[in-house]
Amino acid sequence: QEKVQQSPESLIVPEGAMSSLNCTFSNSASQSIWWYQQHPGKGPEALISIFSNGNKKEGRLTVYLNRASLHVSLHIRDSQPSDSAVYLCAVGGGSALGRLHFGAGTQLIVIP
Amino acid sequence: GGIITQTPKFLIGQEGQKLTLKCQQNFNHDTMYWYRQDSGKGLRLIYYSITENDLQKGDLSEGYDASREKKSSFSLTVTSAQKNEMAVFLCASSEVANTEVFFGKGTRLTVV
């Protein structure tokens, strides 16, 4: 079974700073990596996904995937108070009927 | 776009009681999921269904039943509520496995 671990558990940054979140997974054959954002009382919402080794940039978000080291990171440039939320890393299984395996999440707090 | 509607939003039950949570989606997605979210533990998959009348057990299926009578709806039954399973139950759907998963807002279960 896929194991997904996230670090740190919580992160506090000042407004305008870069926020860096980490995720490790156990299966190098995993097909997809997703980052979800969850605000209190809401369901998770997908932010960005990556399928190939390397990096992907969308707006203030950049994701880096290194399959050899089973590591993926999410970087949020110019962090805003509205970015304060729980960020969940999710890994898609290798089988055709695979589904997402989630990490425990990182609580991000951006201080104005 | 679409929406996933979970009912009820809050559910209070007595220990040993049978409780049913309901979920409807209008994305016309094939695959639907039930996840349980405990504080600090991320999301754990209870059941999923890849098409109408299909059911697949997840990692946490013991103590739960599920039913997918039609494509748009997926219900979850807690067969005998226990005090240690107070959590948020999230329903989700996706077009096929391993694509973006969309979540409802959750049902918060309290067992007294």
Side-chain angles (χ1 to χ4, degrees):
Chain A
Q1 182 182 329
E2 180 79 67
K3 289 190 176 168
V4 182
Q5 295 193 305
Q6 292 187 240
S7 63
E9 285 186 16
S10 62
L11 178 64
I12 302 174
V13 300
E15 184 175 354
M18 176 80 81
S19 299
S20 296
L21 293 69
N22 298 290
C23 174
T24 59
F25 51 98
S26 58
N27 184 0
S28 61
S30 296
Q31 295 178 340
S32 58
I33 314 289
W34 297 80
W35 284 95
Y36 280 78
Q37 180 190 58
Q38 186 176 24
H39 285 106
K42 300 287 175 78
E45 290 187 11
L47 280 180
I48 190 168
S49 62
I50 189 164
F51 295 82
S52 306
N53 240 8
N55 65 74
K56 178 178 180 180
K57 187 175 178 182
E58 287 185 1
R60 294 186 295 115
L61 306 178
T62 303
V63 181
Y64 293 94
L65 172 61
N66 184 330
R67 288 192 184 277
S69 62
L70 303 174
H71 180 263
V72 60
S73 59
L74 171 68
H75 303 268
I76 305 173
R77 177 177 54 82
D78 187 24
S79 299
Q80 299 297 307
S82 57
D83 295 329
S84 297
V86 173
Y87 289 79
L88 299 164
C89 175
V91 178
S95 68
L97 294 179
R99 62 326 189 257
L100 295 179
H101 300 265
F102 285 83
T106 292
Q107 172 77 61
L108 173 65
I109 299 171
V110 182
I111 310 259
Chain B
I3 191 166
I4 295 176
T5 303
Q6 291 188 237
T7 55
K9 289 184 181 177
F10 299 95
L11 180 57
I12 300 174
Q14 295 191 324
E15 199 167 13
Q17 193 176 0
K18 184 176 177 179
L19 302 166
T20 298
L21 293 68
K22 293 189 181 293
C23 176
Q24 295 268 347
Q25 54 99 357
N26 65 359
F27 287 99
N28 199 34
H29 284 162
D30 289 313
T31 307
M32 294 187 73
Y33 312 80
W34 276 106
Y35 283 92
R36 172 175 158 166
Q37 186 172 33
D38 294 90
S39 178
K41 288 190 179 178
L43 278 66
R44 291 181 288 174
L45 184 66
I46 306 172
Y47 268 99
Y48 68 106
S49 166
I50 61 173
T51 189
E52 187 177 326
N53 292 320
D54 173 75
L55 282 178
Q56 309 281 341
K57 289 184 178 181
D59 305 318
L60 203 66
S61 60
E62 192 171 330
Y64 301 95
D65 286 329
S67 177
R68 182 99 182 266
E69 303 95 345
K70 52 184 182 177
K71 188 175 183 178
S72 62
S73 67
F74 194 28
S75 60
L76 180 73
T77 298
V78 181
T79 55
S80 177
Q82 303 298 315
K83 284 196 176 176
N84 64 359
E85 66 188 329
M86 291 189 287
V88 175
F89 291 80
L90 291 164
C91 176
S93 71
S94 66
E95 197 170 301
V96 293
N98 270 330
T99 59
E100 182 175 350
V101 178
F102 295 84
F103 285 85
K105 293 184 178 181
T107 292
R108 182 174 291 278
L109 172 64
T110 301
V111 182
V112 297

